[in-house]
Amino acid sequence: MGYPVASYQDYLPKIEAFKSWYAGKVNSFHRYTYYNGIESVSAIRKSMQMAKKVSEDWANLILNEKVEININDESLKKEIQDILKKNKFFSRANKLVEVAFALGTGAFVERAEVGEEKKIFIDYVRADLIFPLVWDDDEITECAFASQKIVDGKECIYLAIHCREGRTYHVKNKLYRSNASYLKEIPLPDGVPEDWDTKSELPLFQIVRPNIVNNLDLDAPFGISVFFNALDQIKGIDLVYDSYMNEFVLGKKRLIVPVTLAQKMADANGNRPVFDSNDTAFYALDVKDAQDKKDMLIDINPEIRAEAHSKALQDCLNLISDKVGFGTDRYKFDKGAVKTATEVISVKSDMYNNLIKHEQTVEEAIVNMVKAIAFLLHGRLPDDSLEISVNFDDSIITDENTEIDNNIKLTNARLKPRIKAIMDLYEVDEKEAQKMLDQITDEDKVEGDSDADFFGTTKSKGKEEKDE
C-alpha cells in the first residue's frame, strides 16, 4: 500500500529478544555446553524468570483493581463503565501493561460493530503486531495493527490500518489467507467495511510504553523493555541460581562400596543384589587394595554452600531491583523463592518517583481511550467541559512522617505493640527491634526524663503525676 515499514523490520529482532527474556529461556544463554574431560555435554541453565516478575510487578502497581476512572458527566460515566465491564478492561489492560513493559510497546485499539445495537470493542495489541506508519518524535499518529484469526477453519491475518485522510481518521481493513510461503487477500466478513471513515479527528488507538528513554534506538517509534538495561543482572542471577540448584545435585551423599559387595549373590530364591540397584546413594567401585573393614565403605558427604549462594542471590536481586526502577530493596530471597519485601512505598523513594512517571503515560492512554469510546457512542468529540482523570491505587504509598505519627498514636492508645512499631518503622526483625527497645529503655533510665516517649518506656514520673 506504499507505507514504509523499515522501522518495524529493523526493530522486530529486538522485540523478539525481549520476548525470549520475558519467556525466561534464551537459547543463546540458557542452552550451553561444557567439556567434562572426555566429551562436550549439552546443558540447560535454570532460570528465576525475573524478566517476567519485573514486568508483572510493574503492571500490578500501575493498573490494578483499585484504579478508578473519573468522568464528570455521570451519564457518560455509566456508559463507559458498562463498555469497560463488557470488555473486561481492568483484567485485560493489566495484562497489556505487563506485556507492554516486557516488550516495550502495547496498544489499546477501539472499534465498533453496528447491528441492532452498537457494540464497542477494545483490542489489546502487543508490540510485534504493531506497525507504526507515521510518527513525530515518539508520538505515533498513524499505525497498522495485525492479528491472527481463523476464518472457515483456515488461518488468516487481519490487518487494520489507521490513517489520516484529510482531517479525519480512516480505518482500512484487510484480510489475508496465510501459509508459510504467501499471503493471499480474501474478502472481508459481512459487516466489515474495506474503508471506514471514522469522522474522528482523534485516533481510535492509544500507545502504551514504559516512560523511559529508548537508549537501544533513539529514533525508533517503539518503546524499550523495562528490563532491557538489567539484562546483565538477570543473566547474573540465573547463573547463581543454576549453581545453587546444581549444588544439591553435586552435593548428594554417596557411599562407595567394593564392587564385590554390589554383585548378585545366590540364595534359595535365586540371584539377588546385596544393594538395591535403584538406590542412588551407592556407587560400586573396584577396590582391590582394601586391607580391613574401614576401607570397604567410603562415605562421601560434600558440603552444601547454601548460605553463600543465598547471599549472592540477594545481591543480584538488589541489583536487578535498582536497575528496573524499584530501588534496592524490592525483592527478598527467602526459603528458596523470590518474595516482595514490602507493599508500602515511601514518597521519598526512587520507586515512588518511577511509579508516578510510568502512571503518566498510562493515564494519557486511558483518557484518550475514554474520549475515543465517547466518540463512537455519540458520533462527536467531547467538548472542553468534559473532565476525565484516573485515580491510581495510592494505598501502597505512604509518607514517612505520616507513618511515624500513625505509629505514635497506635502505641500510645495501646492498639499496637511497641516491638511491632519499631519493626515497621525501621524494617528490622523482632530480635533487632527488641535490642533497640532495650536501648531506648536504658537511655530513659539514665536521663530520668519525666516525659514519656511514644514507646511508653519511661519509668520516672513527676510529683504532680504521682499525686494524681
Side-chain angles (χ1 to χ4, degrees):
M1 297 181 66
Y3 289 103
V5 290
S7 63
Y8 175 84
Q9 293 170 334
D10 292 342
Y11 207 78
L12 183 59
K14 300 176 178 66
I15 296 173
E16 292 299 325
F18 299 154
K19 193 189 296 185
S20 295
W21 283 106
Y22 179 58
K25 294 293 182 183
V26 181
N27 287 336
S28 61
F29 177 75
H30 290 96
R31 292 183 180 273
Y32 66 100
T33 59
Y34 65 91
Y35 186 66
N36 63 6
I38 300 175
E39 60 182 350
S40 293
V41 180
S42 298
I44 297 178
R45 186 169 284 119
K46 293 175 177 61
S47 172
M48 290 200 75
Q49 307 277 353
M50 285 308 298
K52 160 71 174 171
K53 177 68 174 172
V54 165
S55 306
E56 187 177 314
D57 281 1
W58 270 122
N60 291 340
L61 285 169
I62 295 168
L63 203 58
N64 54 48
E65 72 282 357
K66 295 182 180 179
V67 173
E68 296 179 350
I69 299 174
N70 295 321
I71 305 172
N72 63 346
D73 184 325
E74 288 299 323
S75 175
L76 178 61
K77 182 177 181 179
K78 187 178 184 308
E79 290 179 307
I80 297 294
Q81 287 176 338
D82 289 342
I83 290 170
L84 295 181
K85 185 176 181 181
K86 290 177 182 177
N87 280 273
K88 300 179 181 179
F89 174 75
F90 286 104
S91 172
R92 297 188 66 188
N94 172 271
K95 294 175 183 177
L96 177 78
V97 171
E98 178 181 332
V99 173
F101 273 56
L103 306 186
T105 312
F108 302 128
V109 183
E110 298 78 44
R111 56 187 172 88
E113 290 185 5
V114 180
E116 294 181 1
E117 62 174 320
K118 182 180 289 186
K119 295 182 180 179
I120 296 173
F121 298 93
I122 304 171
D123 292 329
Y124 308 85
V125 188
R126 65 177 191 258
D128 53 335
L129 299 175
I130 297 174
F131 297 80
L133 304 177
V134 179
W135 63 92
D136 181 9
D137 196 8
D138 63 350
E139 182 183 0
I140 299 173
T141 56
E142 297 183 34
C143 195
F145 304 94
S147 60
Q148 290 186 333
K149 295 186 180 295
I150 302 297
V151 179
D152 297 330
K154 296 183 178 179
E155 186 174 307
C156 296
I157 292 177
Y158 167 65
L159 197 64
I161 302 164
H162 293 241
C163 56
R164 273 181 179 154
E165 291 190 3
R167 297 185 61 181
T168 63
Y169 274 89
H170 286 237
V171 178
K172 297 180 180 180
N173 298 299
K174 299 284 183 180
L175 189 64
Y176 300 90
R177 183 154 293 153
S178 64
N179 63 23
S181 60
Y182 74 94
L183 288 176
K184 179 182 178 182
E185 187 170 359
I186 60 175
L188 291 161
D190 293 339
V192 179
E194 290 187 8
D195 188 338
W196 172 37
D197 184 358
T198 67
K199 309 293 185 183
S200 172
E201 296 181 16
L202 291 178
L204 300 185
F205 66 86
Q206 300 79 38
I207 302 297
V208 178
R209 287 173 288 217
N211 196 4
I212 51 179
V213 174
N214 184 349
N215 60 314
L216 183 60
D217 188 341
L218 293 173
D219 297 320
F222 293 94
I224 192 173
S225 171
V226 74
F227 55 72
F228 168 72
N229 288 292
L231 288 182
D232 285 343
Q233 287 70 33
I234 292 174
K235 291 178 183 178
I237 200 167
D238 282 356
L239 282 169
V240 176
Y241 181 66
D242 184 65
S243 174
Y244 192 21
M245 294 296 100
N246 285 334
E247 192 79 5
F248 293 91
V249 176
L250 300 174
K252 286 183 65 174
K253 183 181 181 68
R254 290 286 189 273
L255 287 173
I256 306 298
V257 300
V259 69
T260 54
L261 295 182
Q263 292 174 344
K264 293 181 181 296
M265 300 180 66
D267 64 2
N269 298 320
N271 292 336
R272 63 177 177 82
V274 174
F275 297 110
D276 184 354
S277 59
N278 293 320
D279 194 331
T280 60
F282 296 101
Y283 186 87
L285 190 66
D286 189 4
V287 183
K288 297 179 179 179
D289 299 327
Q291 300 296 321
D292 51 40
K293 292 182 179 179
K294 73 177 182 178
D295 293 326
M296 295 181 69
L297 294 176
I298 303 174
D299 184 1
I300 299 179
N301 194 18
E303 179 185 358
I304 303 293
R305 299 169 298 168
E307 186 175 347
H309 277 90
S310 293
K311 184 181 183 306
L313 284 170
Q314 187 58 60
D315 290 342
C316 289
L317 285 171
N318 291 342
L319 289 170
I320 291 173
S321 179
D322 187 49
K323 291 288 284 185
V324 299
F326 287 141
T328 57
D329 56 357
R330 174 69 176 174
Y331 298 117
K332 298 292 181 185
F333 185 74
D334 183 27
K335 298 179 181 178
V338 176
K339 298 181 179 179
T340 301
T342 176
E343 291 297 333
V344 177
I345 305 171
S346 169
V347 295
K348 295 182 180 180
S349 68
D350 292 336
M351 184 175 177
Y352 171 78
N353 293 328
N354 289 318
L355 177 60
I356 297 301
K357 185 171 70 171
H358 289 314
E359 286 176 349
Q360 290 172 353
T361 58
V362 175
E363 179 174 26
E364 181 181 358
I366 292 176
V367 168
N368 287 331
M369 179 196 69
V370 171
K371 290 179 179 179
I373 294 174
F375 177 85
L376 292 174
L377 282 170
H378 301 291
R380 56 181 174 81
L381 291 173
D383 58 37
D384 294 338
S385 64
L386 183 68
E387 296 179 4
I388 306 168
S389 62
V390 181
N391 281 351
F392 292 97
D393 177 22
D394 60 357
S395 63
I396 56 175
I397 299 171
T398 182
D399 177 75
E400 186 177 356
N401 292 328
T402 302
E403 188 178 1
I404 293 172
D405 291 340
N406 289 338
N407 275 284
I408 290 174
K409 292 175 182 177
L410 290 171
T411 51
N412 285 343
R414 299 185 182 278
L415 296 175
K416 187 173 186 178
R418 293 167 290 175
I419 288 286
K420 187 66 171 66
I422 294 176
M423 290 172 64
D424 290 345
L425 284 172
Y426 295 102
E427 297 182 0
V428 296
D429 58 22
E430 186 173 355
K431 184 177 180 180
E432 184 64 26
Q434 185 61 56
K435 289 182 181 179
M436 296 175 69
L437 182 58
D438 292 342
Q439 184 178 0
I440 293 171
T441 303
D442 291 341
E443 289 177 356
D444 286 339
K445 287 180 180 178
V446 172
E447 293 175 3
D449 191 350
S450 62
D451 293 325
D453 69 318
F454 86 93
F455 291 114
T457 54
T458 303
K459 303 298 182 183
S460 61
K461 295 182 179 293
K463 181 177 184 302
E464 292 181 359
E465 290 177 304
K466 288 181 179 180
D467 293 340
E468 183 179 356

